[in-house]
Amino acid sequence: EAQVTQNPRYLITVTGKKLTVTCSQNMNHEYMSWYRQDPGLGLRQIYYSMNVEVTDKGDVPEGYKVSRKEKRNFPLILESPSPNQTSLYFCASSLAGSYNEQFFGPGTRLTVL
Amino acid sequence: AQRVTQPEKLLSVFKGAPVELKCNYSYSGSPELFWYVQYSRQRLQLLLRHISRESIKGFTADLNKGETSFHLKKPFAQEEDSAMYYCALSGRSNYQLIWGAGTKLIIKP
């Protein structure tokens, strides 16, 4: 089944403890991106990647890192999480860019204490 | 600055009534506009995009460049339309998607 997967789905952690949220797609999509969703703010783009080894900042990249070593994977790294990064995170992929249909993962609910 | 505004956080209408979810945008170039929908316990998914000019599940949206709007409409609401709706904008020359804050649509029986 063609899909985007994220792990973990739920995570509670403490301030400063490095964590990684994985994202994988099996559709051979070039474009992948990460969003955070907060009440009243909608989705805000954190980082995106146009292809392997090509990444760029979205609107809210502070406190996050990403990498794109393989086409299918696009992990989101929080090296020193803080409570203001408590949010619902979505990974998405599309064939070639933001103007193509985005396929979303199920979301990862992160709580930083 | 690029911006997408959905003025209504919540819209509640009766089944069979017309629905209009508003979306206004600010963008200096030629945008691609989308409506995405998230039904309860399902993933966010594309509903329609202006370039395809389709009607999906009875919904239509017309890009009005003069008013910089892309309102989503349906003449007769159904209970299964209850969901969260997001309007999004992409520039053709970049790779960022700008999202509105979303409108929760509730269809009352």
Side-chain angles (χ1 to χ4, degrees):
Chain A
E1 180 189 356
Q3 63 177 341
V4 178
T5 56
Q6 291 178 232
N7 283 292
R9 295 287 313 279
Y10 303 90
L11 179 60
I12 300 175
T13 189
V14 295
T15 299
K17 186 176 181 183
K18 181 179 179 179
L19 66 93
T20 300
V21 184
T22 64
C23 173
S24 184
Q25 51 94 4
N26 61 2
M27 296 170 279
N28 202 35
H29 284 169
E30 291 187 354
Y31 182 87
M32 296 184 76
S33 61
W34 275 102
Y35 298 91
R36 59 179 289 173
Q37 184 183 45
D38 301 291
L41 296 177
L43 277 82
R44 292 180 292 168
Q45 197 167 35
I46 304 171
Y47 269 95
Y48 58 94
S49 169
M50 289 77 78
N51 214 325
V52 175
E53 303 290 4
V54 183
T55 63
D56 209 346
K57 297 177 181 178
D59 290 323
V60 289
E62 295 78 19
Y64 305 94
K65 283 177 58 177
V66 293
S67 69
R68 188 93 181 271
K69 295 187 172 65
E70 307 164 281
K71 200 170 189 177
R72 63 183 293 128
N73 296 324
F74 191 46
L76 179 70
I77 303 155
L78 285 72
E79 297 220 323
S80 184
S82 63
N84 64 13
Q85 293 178 298
T86 292
S87 188
L88 180 58
Y89 291 87
F90 289 101
C91 179
S93 73
S94 75
L95 193 61
S98 54
Y99 39 84
N100 295 128
E101 178 179 0
Q102 304 295 306
F103 293 85
F104 283 83
T108 294
R109 187 165 292 282
L110 172 66
T111 301
V112 183
L113 302 174
Chain B
Q2 300 174 76
R3 187 181 302 130
V4 174
T5 303
Q6 293 179 250
E8 303 132 333
K9 288 187 178 179
L10 176 66
L11 184 63
S12 181
V13 302
F14 284 103
K15 177 182 172 182
V19 172
E20 183 179 49
L21 289 87
K22 292 184 168 52
C23 172
N24 291 94
Y25 67 90
S26 172
Y27 187 74
S28 56
S30 294
E32 296 278 347
L33 283 147
F34 307 84
W35 277 100
Y36 281 81
V37 60
Q38 189 171 29
Y39 300 104
S40 180
R41 301 182 189 280
Q42 293 188 29
R43 301 184 185 203
L44 198 59
Q45 58 188 285
L46 179 67
L47 179 63
L48 55 80
R49 54 187 299 180
H50 90 271
I51 199 169
S52 60
R53 298 182 181 276
E54 292 176 301
S55 173
I56 306 293
K57 298 185 178 183
F59 284 98
T60 58
D62 290 319
L63 179 60
N64 186 324
K65 291 186 178 180
E67 295 183 358
T68 59
S69 69
F70 188 57
H71 303 329
L72 184 68
K73 300 177 184 178
K74 184 169 183 175
F76 307 103
Q78 298 171 299
E79 288 186 68
E80 54 264 34
D81 296 328
S82 293
M84 194 74 183
Y85 291 80
Y86 292 95
C87 183
L89 174 155
S90 172
R92 289 184 184 167
S93 59
N94 63 33
Y95 292 89
Q96 280 191 266
L97 262 175
I98 309 297
W99 297 76
T103 298
K104 184 172 184 176
L105 176 64
I106 297 175
I107 307 300
K108 297 179 285 189

